[in-house]
Amino acid sequence: MKTFFFSITLITISNLCVSQGVQFSFGANYGSYNLSDIKLLRNDFRQQLLSSLPISIATVNDFPSHVGFDLQILFTQKKFNMGGFASINSTGSRLYYGDYSGHLTFDQLLKSIGIGGLIEFIPSKKENKRAKFIVSSKAGIALNSYDLDYVLQLGQSVDLQQLSFRSTNIFMMPGIGFKKKIGAFHFQPEIRYLIDIPGNLKLSTDSNLTLNKPNGDTANASWSGFRIAISIGYEKKIK
Amino acid sequence: MNPLSKLLNVLPFFILIGCLYKPVEEPLTSVRLNSTTTSINLTGLTNGLVMPLYKKNTFQITVSPSGLKYYSIEVFVEDQLQFSQSSSSNYFSFELDPKNFSDGEKKIRILSKRSSGTKSLADLLGNEIVSSENSWKLLIDKTPPNQVSNSKIEIIDGKSIIKWDKPNKENFLEYNIVRTYYSKTNQESSDTLKVTDPKLSSFHDTNYVGGKVSYQIDIKGYQFYVAGIKFFFDCVPISIEFQPDRISPYFFYSKSILYNNSIEVAWYGSNFYSLRPPTSSGKIDINVKFGEFIDFNVFVKPIGKDAYNTKGNYSISRVAYLGYKTKSYFTNIYFSQQYPAYFLGSFKGERLASNCMVYKLDKETKNPIDSLNIPFNGIVMSQNGSLAYLVTSKKLLKLDLSTLDIVETIDFTSIIGSGITSYTYDSFDYYGVTNDNLFYYKASGTNSATLYIMNLTTKNILWSKKANGSNHYLSQNSQYLLHENALYDRSQTNNWSKLLGKFLLEPNSINGVVFRENNDVMLLLGSKAQIYDPSTPPSSFGYLTPKSTIAGSTYLYYDPTSNTLSGKSGFNSNNQFIEVVDATTLFPIKRVDLVLDNNTPWYTALYVNNTFFHEKGLFIPNP
């Protein structure tokens, strides 16, 4: 991990030395998440719950696509832009039943904060105002949190049980898109695919304990999937 | 502030507010409220009524509605918790013991809790409980009631109905009717009939089979017992009469006075079996052929019960139906030495502790009209009703029965010899008289007994023999001697010491023998009576083969007036009868069962002058 950060930092500094400008951009992404182990655990919990309580429990949310956000900094050259980025994505699910006597809620909340380096390649050599095709690739690590909240409330009595897990993933996310400059600002839509190498989910209070699937294998949170992203940025020329 | 600074200022808020996923809320699920009300049913208790609690009782509680997840009850008597239980079933049971409470009326209150049944989340988790309460009244009374009084038994429409006056209270569990049967020997056998309804004051003893019985109606409470007063009852359940017939003999039975009791008359025989309810009179044919016999018993017993394990059994041990066609007469009579003897229905000899009494009887009433006291302790015998003999260890007295005088005294000492003085009178002595002779078996020791035969006229000893054994009989004409279970014959010569034949007889245990006048037949009385012809012995040593067999009889009497032989069968009170056979043909012609008379002895019983009687003076009407 240290080597990874060291390499990114070194590339960024070296690129900074030869760069023509610095771009700051902020974007949003929207996509799908694999999360197969998490869904499996949710289904297993649902089955166990229904076997003990014959209630019409509803799956209110089922790990929906949710807007994520990116921050990135790029040191620009003619065809290659290099820099770093930070992103945050979250999703979750909720099982819910409620009536006049109380309610039962089982929430799974997932959050992933990714940081890493990126590179953009702009094939076009023309200097004009038209949008330019770009190919990009990001690589980095993602710090994941997986929180389980179980709430049973009957009248004024509330029973709350919480568990929290953590994992670290390594990912790579190639993408293609366009970049349209409007003065110092630019507008950049992209489509990306996140390839995740997930790590094991470990109990936050005791990293020796891992979350296991019903078959005994360790569970992980894989965020792999397509992303549609759009970002806006500001570039400052370096003289 | 430039645009970048503005963007950087607001960006964190966007991230914080908009970036993170938050689950959406869901509206509540509607639940249909269950409006059923709770009811508590307590088995045996009715609202508003007071239930008596006179014994330990198990109550059953059903809480409605059923099928819910959770139920619980708490039972209070006078606000004291007696029982509590939780269950997934709506059924509970608990026990109350009156001994734990004082007498009086008590309030029993039951508090019930159950799931609501709404299927709401709280209900499914067992946290939605509906409570209800109900109460009843119990009556505790442990003070015993009065004794049952005025108890009696009545026969109504063929039923034996026990009646009594009810006690002053009904706080008891049951009537225990202790029924005791008394056998003919006054042995008691008891059982208990239970009447579990205290409100009753009568009871049909359907199993009463007749006979002497006593009842005692006791009251049994939970912790008390009140004994009643014993009362007696007796009735003859059925009259059974043997009707001999030369072609088809049968039993006639009358309609039972207990015809509506659950009893039956059961007939058990070796070749014959039938059950007939005593609801009407009728007859039972006896399938016996000439020369055969059948054993069977008659029982009056409860329907469906084993006759051998029930009370009030009556039995007829044997019916014989046979004949012997040679016309002849039996002339010898043998009486036991220990029991009174009847002579032709007009005299009775009685041996007492130190003397003997001979009574002359009125022929109609059988009461003594004259008597003779003989100062000797001996046995009285008669052979023809005109003369009787009394034998002691030393003397033989000849009595004239018409005048009740001692007409002759014979001193054995002078006849038998000096040894006679050492003889002692004991139960091993046997005596008999014929027309001419006395035979006298003197047992002075186990291996030194001697049998004498003496001519009564000449007083000469005709024959004497050292002998063991117990049965010695002389034929009327002194031609045959039954001695040590062997037959001696001097019919061809006059020499007693010369025995022409020796034949073993069966059975070995012989109680008596009668020789017919012309000696062609002798009747042996043993466990079964058998008829032999001594003139046709087997060619070699062996057993004599009976020509025929008749009913077992311990004693036999020949009555020349009616030309009948009568004897009594059976050794115990349950199995006795007097059978009369024609002395010529040996056909059975009359029979009287003695079993219905509790006082029937098991000794002599005779048929004389067309009248049955036996030594106890019980005269039985001629059937």
Short mmCIF file of all heavy atoms in Angstrom, two decimals, chain B residues 449-495:
data_model
loop_
_atom_site.label_atom_id
_atom_site.label_comp_id
_atom_site.label_asym_id
_atom_site.label_seq_id
_atom_site.Cartn_x
_atom_site.Cartn_y
_atom_site.Cartn_z
N ALA B 449 -54.80 -108.06 63.67
CA ALA B 449 -56.25 -108.08 63.68
C ALA B 449 -56.74 -109.47 63.31
O ALA B 449 -56.06 -110.23 62.63
CB ALA B 449 -56.79 -107.05 62.70
N THR B 450 -57.93 -109.78 63.77
CA THR B 450 -58.51 -111.09 63.49
C THR B 450 -59.95 -110.92 63.06
O THR B 450 -60.70 -110.11 63.60
CB THR B 450 -58.49 -111.98 64.76
OG1 THR B 450 -57.14 -112.06 65.23
CG2 THR B 450 -59.01 -113.37 64.45
N LEU B 451 -60.32 -111.69 62.07
CA LEU B 451 -61.69 -111.70 61.60
C LEU B 451 -62.38 -112.98 62.10
O LEU B 451 -61.85 -114.07 61.93
CB LEU B 451 -61.72 -111.64 60.08
CG LEU B 451 -63.09 -111.76 59.44
CD1 LEU B 451 -63.92 -110.52 59.75
CD2 LEU B 451 -62.97 -111.96 57.94
N TYR B 452 -63.51 -112.77 62.71
CA TYR B 452 -64.28 -113.92 63.22
C TYR B 452 -65.60 -113.97 62.50
O TYR B 452 -66.21 -112.93 62.21
CB TYR B 452 -64.56 -113.78 64.72
CG TYR B 452 -63.32 -113.72 65.57
CD1 TYR B 452 -62.76 -112.52 65.94
CD2 TYR B 452 -62.73 -114.92 66.03
CE1 TYR B 452 -61.63 -112.45 66.72
CE2 TYR B 452 -61.59 -114.85 66.81
CZ TYR B 452 -61.04 -113.62 67.15
OH TYR B 452 -59.93 -113.57 67.93
N ILE B 453 -66.05 -115.20 62.27
CA ILE B 453 -67.43 -115.39 61.81
C ILE B 453 -68.08 -116.40 62.77
O ILE B 453 -67.56 -117.50 62.98
CB ILE B 453 -67.48 -115.92 60.37
CG1 ILE B 453 -66.90 -114.86 59.42
CG2 ILE B 453 -68.91 -116.28 59.97
CD1 ILE B 453 -66.85 -115.29 57.99
N MET B 454 -69.17 -115.92 63.36
CA MET B 454 -69.79 -116.71 64.43
C MET B 454 -71.24 -117.01 64.07
O MET B 454 -71.96 -116.15 63.57
CB MET B 454 -69.76 -115.90 65.73
CG MET B 454 -70.35 -116.63 66.91
SD MET B 454 -70.38 -115.59 68.38
CE MET B 454 -71.73 -114.51 67.98
N ASN B 455 -71.67 -118.24 64.31
CA ASN B 455 -73.07 -118.59 64.13
C ASN B 455 -73.85 -118.05 65.30
O ASN B 455 -73.56 -118.32 66.45
CB ASN B 455 -73.21 -120.12 64.06
CG ASN B 455 -74.63 -120.51 63.73
OD1 ASN B 455 -75.55 -120.27 64.50
ND2 ASN B 455 -74.81 -121.13 62.57
N LEU B 456 -74.87 -117.25 65.01
CA LEU B 456 -75.60 -116.57 66.07
C LEU B 456 -76.44 -117.54 66.90
O LEU B 456 -76.83 -117.24 68.03
CB LEU B 456 -76.49 -115.49 65.47
CG LEU B 456 -75.75 -114.27 64.93
CD1 LEU B 456 -76.71 -113.35 64.19
CD2 LEU B 456 -75.08 -113.51 66.07
N THR B 457 -76.75 -118.68 66.34
CA THR B 457 -77.59 -119.63 67.08
C THR B 457 -76.73 -120.53 67.96
O THR B 457 -76.97 -120.65 69.17
CB THR B 457 -78.40 -120.49 66.10
OG1 THR B 457 -79.17 -119.62 65.26
CG2 THR B 457 -79.34 -121.42 66.84
N THR B 458 -75.71 -121.11 67.34
CA THR B 458 -74.89 -122.04 68.10
C THR B 458 -73.77 -121.35 68.85
O THR B 458 -73.16 -121.94 69.73
CB THR B 458 -74.25 -123.06 67.16
OG1 THR B 458 -73.37 -122.36 66.26
CG2 THR B 458 -75.32 -123.79 66.34
N LYS B 459 -73.52 -120.13 68.52
CA LYS B 459 -72.42 -119.34 69.09
C LYS B 459 -71.07 -119.95 68.76
O LYS B 459 -70.08 -119.73 69.44
CB LYS B 459 -72.56 -119.22 70.63
CG LYS B 459 -73.94 -118.83 71.12
CD LYS B 459 -74.38 -117.47 70.58
CE LYS B 459 -75.69 -117.03 71.20
NZ LYS B 459 -76.84 -117.90 70.86
N ASN B 460 -71.03 -120.78 67.74
CA ASN B 460 -69.76 -121.36 67.32
C ASN B 460 -69.02 -120.41 66.38
O ASN B 460 -69.62 -119.76 65.54
CB ASN B 460 -70.00 -122.68 66.60
CG ASN B 460 -70.53 -123.75 67.53
OD1 ASN B 460 -70.19 -123.77 68.73
ND2 ASN B 460 -71.39 -124.62 67.00
N ILE B 461 -67.70 -120.41 66.57
CA ILE B 461 -66.86 -119.65 65.65
C ILE B 461 -66.68 -120.49 64.39
O ILE B 461 -66.10 -121.56 64.42
CB ILE B 461 -65.49 -119.32 66.27
CG1 ILE B 461 -65.67 -118.47 67.51
CG2 ILE B 461 -64.59 -118.62 65.25
CD1 ILE B 461 -66.26 -117.10 67.24
N LEU B 462 -67.22 -120.00 63.29
CA LEU B 462 -67.14 -120.77 62.06
C LEU B 462 -65.80 -120.59 61.37
O LEU B 462 -65.30 -121.48 60.70
CB LEU B 462 -68.26 -120.33 61.10
CG LEU B 462 -69.69 -120.47 61.65
CD1 LEU B 462 -70.68 -119.93 60.65
CD2 LEU B 462 -70.01 -121.92 61.96
N TRP B 463 -65.24 -119.46 61.56
CA TRP B 463 -64.02 -119.16 60.80
C TRP B 463 -63.32 -118.01 61.47
O TRP B 463 -63.94 -117.09 61.98
CB TRP B 463 -64.42 -118.79 59.37
CG TRP B 463 -63.29 -118.64 58.42
CD1 TRP B 463 -62.61 -119.62 57.80
CD2 TRP B 463 -62.77 -117.40 57.94
NE1 TRP B 463 -61.67 -119.12 56.99
CE2 TRP B 463 -61.74 -117.71 57.04
CE3 TRP B 463 -63.03 -116.07 58.20
CZ2 TRP B 463 -60.98 -116.77 56.37
CZ3 TRP B 463 -62.29 -115.12 57.53
CH2 TRP B 463 -61.28 -115.47 56.63
N SER B 464 -62.05 -118.10 61.55
CA SER B 464 -61.28 -116.97 62.06
C SER B 464 -59.98 -116.88 61.27
O SER B 464 -59.48 -117.87 60.77
CB SER B 464 -60.98 -117.12 63.56
OG SER B 464 -60.12 -118.22 63.76
N LYS B 465 -59.53 -115.66 61.19
CA LYS B 465 -58.34 -115.47 60.36
C LYS B 465 -57.62 -114.20 60.81
O LYS B 465 -58.24 -113.17 61.03
CB LYS B 465 -58.74 -115.33 58.89
CG LYS B 465 -57.57 -115.20 57.93
CD LYS B 465 -58.09 -115.08 56.51
CE LYS B 465 -56.92 -115.05 55.53
NZ LYS B 465 -56.07 -113.88 55.71
N LYS B 466 -56.33 -114.38 60.99
CA LYS B 466 -55.51 -113.20 61.20
C LYS B 466 -55.48 -112.40 59.90
O LYS B 466 -55.16 -112.96 58.85
CB LYS B 466 -54.08 -113.57 61.60
CG LYS B 466 -53.95 -114.21 62.95
CD LYS B 466 -54.04 -113.16 64.06
CE LYS B 466 -53.76 -113.79 65.43
NZ LYS B 466 -53.89 -112.82 66.50
N ALA B 467 -55.81 -111.17 60.00
CA ALA B 467 -55.91 -110.44 58.73
C ALA B 467 -55.75 -108.96 58.97
O ALA B 467 -56.06 -108.43 60.05
CB ALA B 467 -57.26 -110.72 58.08
N ASN B 468 -55.24 -108.31 57.94
CA ASN B 468 -55.23 -106.85 57.92
C ASN B 468 -56.31 -106.37 56.94
O ASN B 468 -56.98 -107.17 56.30
CB ASN B 468 -53.86 -106.32 57.50
CG ASN B 468 -52.82 -106.64 58.55
OD1 ASN B 468 -53.12 -106.56 59.74
ND2 ASN B 468 -51.64 -107.02 58.10
N GLY B 469 -56.41 -105.11 56.83
CA GLY B 469 -57.41 -104.58 55.92
C GLY B 469 -58.56 -103.99 56.69
O GLY B 469 -58.59 -104.00 57.92
N SER B 470 -59.49 -103.47 55.95
CA SER B 470 -60.54 -102.72 56.61
C SER B 470 -61.93 -103.09 56.16
O SER B 470 -62.89 -102.62 56.73
CB SER B 470 -60.33 -101.23 56.38
OG SER B 470 -60.33 -100.97 54.99
N ASN B 471 -62.09 -103.92 55.18
CA ASN B 471 -63.43 -104.17 54.67
C ASN B 471 -63.71 -105.68 54.69
O ASN B 471 -63.01 -106.46 54.05
CB ASN B 471 -63.56 -103.64 53.25
CG ASN B 471 -63.34 -102.15 53.20
OD1 ASN B 471 -64.05 -101.41 53.86
ND2 ASN B 471 -62.33 -101.74 52.46
N HIS B 472 -64.75 -106.01 55.42
CA HIS B 472 -65.07 -107.44 55.58
C HIS B 472 -66.57 -107.57 55.59
O HIS B 472 -67.25 -107.02 56.45
CB HIS B 472 -64.50 -107.97 56.90
CG HIS B 472 -63.08 -107.54 57.10
ND1 HIS B 472 -62.01 -108.18 56.52
CD2 HIS B 472 -62.56 -106.49 57.79
CE1 HIS B 472 -60.89 -107.55 56.86
NE2 HIS B 472 -61.20 -106.52 57.63
N TYR B 473 -67.07 -108.28 54.61
CA TYR B 473 -68.51 -108.42 54.48
C TYR B 473 -68.85 -109.87 54.17
O TYR B 473 -68.16 -110.52 53.39
CB TYR B 473 -69.05 -107.51 53.39
CG TYR B 473 -68.69 -106.06 53.62
CD1 TYR B 473 -67.58 -105.49 52.99
CD2 TYR B 473 -69.45 -105.29 54.49
CE1 TYR B 473 -67.24 -104.19 53.22
CE2 TYR B 473 -69.11 -103.97 54.72
CZ TYR B 473 -68.01 -103.41 54.08
OH TYR B 473 -67.68 -102.12 54.32
N LEU B 474 -69.96 -110.27 54.77
CA LEU B 474 -70.40 -111.65 54.62
C LEU B 474 -71.73 -111.65 53.88
O LEU B 474 -72.61 -110.83 54.18
CB LEU B 474 -70.59 -112.30 55.99
CG LEU B 474 -70.87 -113.80 56.02
CD1 LEU B 474 -69.69 -114.59 55.46
CD2 LEU B 474 -71.20 -114.23 57.45
N SER B 475 -71.86 -112.55 52.94
CA SER B 475 -73.14 -112.63 52.24
C SER B 475 -74.22 -113.17 53.17
O SER B 475 -73.94 -113.81 54.18
CB SER B 475 -73.01 -113.52 51.00
OG SER B 475 -72.75 -114.84 51.39
N GLN B 476 -75.43 -112.90 52.78
CA GLN B 476 -76.54 -113.24 53.66
C GLN B 476 -76.59 -114.72 53.98
O GLN B 476 -76.88 -115.13 55.08
CB GLN B 476 -77.85 -112.80 53.00
CG GLN B 476 -79.10 -113.08 53.81
CD GLN B 476 -79.11 -112.29 55.11
OE1 GLN B 476 -78.48 -111.25 55.21
NE2 GLN B 476 -79.79 -112.82 56.11
N ASN B 477 -76.26 -115.51 53.00
CA ASN B 477 -76.26 -116.97 53.24
C ASN B 477 -74.89 -117.48 53.63
O ASN B 477 -74.65 -118.67 53.63
CB ASN B 477 -76.76 -117.68 52.01
CG ASN B 477 -75.88 -117.41 50.81
OD1 ASN B 477 -74.86 -116.71 50.93
ND2 ASN B 477 -76.25 -117.94 49.67
N SER B 478 -74.01 -116.54 53.95
CA SER B 478 -72.66 -116.88 54.39
C SER B 478 -71.88 -117.70 53.37
O SER B 478 -70.97 -118.44 53.70
CB SER B 478 -72.70 -117.65 55.73
OG SER B 478 -73.34 -116.88 56.70
N GLN B 479 -72.25 -117.56 52.14
CA GLN B 479 -71.54 -118.29 51.09
C GLN B 479 -70.30 -117.53 50.61
O GLN B 479 -69.33 -118.13 50.17
CB GLN B 479 -72.47 -118.55 49.91
CG GLN B 479 -73.58 -119.50 50.21
CD GLN B 479 -73.06 -120.89 50.58
OE1 GLN B 479 -72.28 -121.50 49.88
NE2 GLN B 479 -73.52 -121.39 51.74
N TYR B 480 -70.40 -116.25 50.68
CA TYR B 480 -69.29 -115.44 50.19
C TYR B 480 -68.81 -114.50 51.27
O TYR B 480 -69.59 -113.98 52.06
CB TYR B 480 -69.73 -114.61 48.97
CG TYR B 480 -70.06 -115.44 47.77
CD1 TYR B 480 -71.40 -115.71 47.46
CD2 TYR B 480 -69.05 -115.95 46.96
CE1 TYR B 480 -71.72 -116.47 46.36
CE2 TYR B 480 -69.38 -116.72 45.86
CZ TYR B 480 -70.71 -116.97 45.56
OH TYR B 480 -71.02 -117.74 44.48
N LEU B 481 -67.53 -114.30 51.26
CA LEU B 481 -66.92 -113.37 52.21
C LEU B 481 -66.03 -112.41 51.43
O LEU B 481 -65.20 -112.83 50.62
CB LEU B 481 -66.06 -114.12 53.23
CG LEU B 481 -65.24 -113.20 54.15
CD1 LEU B 481 -66.15 -112.43 55.10
CD2 LEU B 481 -64.20 -114.00 54.92
N LEU B 482 -66.28 -111.15 51.67
CA LEU B 482 -65.40 -110.13 51.09
C LEU B 482 -64.42 -109.71 52.18
O LEU B 482 -64.81 -109.20 53.22
CB LEU B 482 -66.21 -108.91 50.64
CG LEU B 482 -65.43 -107.87 49.86
CD1 LEU B 482 -64.99 -108.43 48.51
CD2 LEU B 482 -66.27 -106.63 49.67
N HIS B 483 -63.18 -109.99 51.95
CA HIS B 483 -62.20 -109.80 53.00
C HIS B 483 -60.89 -109.33 52.34
O HIS B 483 -60.41 -109.94 51.39
CB HIS B 483 -61.99 -111.12 53.75
CG HIS B 483 -60.80 -111.11 54.65
ND1 HIS B 483 -60.67 -110.20 55.67
CD2 HIS B 483 -59.71 -111.90 54.70
CE1 HIS B 483 -59.51 -110.43 56.30
NE2 HIS B 483 -58.92 -111.45 55.73
N GLU B 484 -60.36 -108.25 52.88
CA GLU B 484 -59.11 -107.69 52.36
C GLU B 484 -59.18 -107.48 50.84
O GLU B 484 -58.26 -107.80 50.10
CB GLU B 484 -57.93 -108.59 52.70
CG GLU B 484 -57.65 -108.62 54.17
CD GLU B 484 -56.46 -109.51 54.51
OE1 GLU B 484 -56.32 -110.57 53.89
OE2 GLU B 484 -55.69 -109.13 55.37
N ASN B 485 -60.34 -106.97 50.44
CA ASN B 485 -60.55 -106.66 49.03
C ASN B 485 -60.44 -107.90 48.13
O ASN B 485 -60.16 -107.78 46.94
CB ASN B 485 -59.58 -105.58 48.54
CG ASN B 485 -59.83 -104.28 49.27
OD1 ASN B 485 -60.98 -103.95 49.54
ND2 ASN B 485 -58.76 -103.59 49.60
N ALA B 486 -60.64 -109.03 48.72
CA ALA B 486 -60.67 -110.26 47.92
C ALA B 486 -61.93 -111.04 48.28
O ALA B 486 -62.50 -110.88 49.37
CB ALA B 486 -59.43 -111.11 48.19
N LEU B 487 -62.34 -111.81 47.36
CA LEU B 487 -63.58 -112.55 47.55
C LEU B 487 -63.26 -114.01 47.91
O LEU B 487 -62.52 -114.69 47.20
CB LEU B 487 -64.42 -112.49 46.28
CG LEU B 487 -65.76 -113.17 46.35
CD1 LEU B 487 -66.68 -112.45 47.33
CD2 LEU B 487 -66.38 -113.25 44.97
N TYR B 488 -63.87 -114.47 48.99
CA TYR B 488 -63.71 -115.86 49.41
C TYR B 488 -65.05 -116.57 49.19
O TYR B 488 -66.11 -115.99 49.43
CB TYR B 488 -63.32 -115.95 50.88
CG TYR B 488 -61.93 -115.39 51.16
CD1 TYR B 488 -61.75 -114.03 51.30
CD2 TYR B 488 -60.85 -116.26 51.27
CE1 TYR B 488 -60.50 -113.52 51.53
CE2 TYR B 488 -59.58 -115.73 51.51
CZ TYR B 488 -59.40 -114.37 51.64
OH TYR B 488 -58.17 -113.88 51.87
N ASP B 489 -64.95 -117.79 48.76
CA ASP B 489 -66.15 -118.51 48.37
C ASP B 489 -66.17 -119.87 49.08
O ASP B 489 -65.21 -120.62 49.02
CB ASP B 489 -66.14 -118.68 46.85
CG ASP B 489 -67.41 -119.36 46.35
OD1 ASP B 489 -68.25 -119.70 47.19
OD2 ASP B 489 -67.53 -119.51 45.13
N ARG B 490 -67.26 -120.16 49.75
CA ARG B 490 -67.40 -121.49 50.30
C ARG B 490 -68.73 -122.09 49.86
O ARG B 490 -69.31 -122.94 50.51
CB ARG B 490 -67.29 -121.51 51.81
CG ARG B 490 -68.38 -120.73 52.53
CD ARG B 490 -68.54 -121.21 53.96
NE ARG B 490 -69.94 -121.09 54.35
CZ ARG B 490 -70.41 -121.53 55.50
NH1 ARG B 490 -69.60 -122.12 56.37
NH2 ARG B 490 -71.68 -121.42 55.80
N SER B 491 -69.22 -121.58 48.75
CA SER B 491 -70.53 -122.03 48.30
C SER B 491 -70.53 -123.50 47.91
O SER B 491 -71.55 -124.17 47.98
CB SER B 491 -71.00 -121.18 47.13
OG SER B 491 -70.06 -121.28 46.08
N GLN B 492 -69.39 -124.00 47.48
CA GLN B 492 -69.33 -125.39 47.02
C GLN B 492 -69.03 -126.35 48.15
O GLN B 492 -69.31 -127.53 48.04
CB GLN B 492 -68.26 -125.51 45.92
CG GLN B 492 -68.49 -124.58 44.74
CD GLN B 492 -69.85 -124.78 44.10
OE1 GLN B 492 -70.29 -125.93 43.89
NE2 GLN B 492 -70.55 -123.69 43.81
N THR B 493 -68.39 -125.90 49.17
CA THR B 493 -68.08 -126.75 50.31
C THR B 493 -68.49 -126.04 51.57
O THR B 493 -68.88 -124.87 51.54
CB THR B 493 -66.58 -127.08 50.37
OG1 THR B 493 -65.88 -125.91 50.78
CG2 THR B 493 -66.06 -127.55 49.02
N ASN B 494 -68.39 -126.67 52.64
CA ASN B 494 -68.72 -126.05 53.91
C ASN B 494 -67.47 -125.72 54.69
O ASN B 494 -67.49 -125.53 55.89
CB ASN B 494 -69.62 -126.99 54.72
CG ASN B 494 -70.41 -126.20 55.75
OD1 ASN B 494 -70.71 -125.03 55.54
ND2 ASN B 494 -70.71 -126.84 56.86
N ASN B 495 -66.38 -125.74 53.99
CA ASN B 495 -65.10 -125.51 54.64
C ASN B 495 -64.64 -124.08 54.38
O ASN B 495 -64.28 -123.72 53.28
CB ASN B 495 -64.06 -126.50 54.09
CG ASN B 495 -62.75 -126.42 54.85
OD1 ASN B 495 -62.60 -125.56 55.73
ND2 ASN B 495 -61.85 -127.31 54.54
#
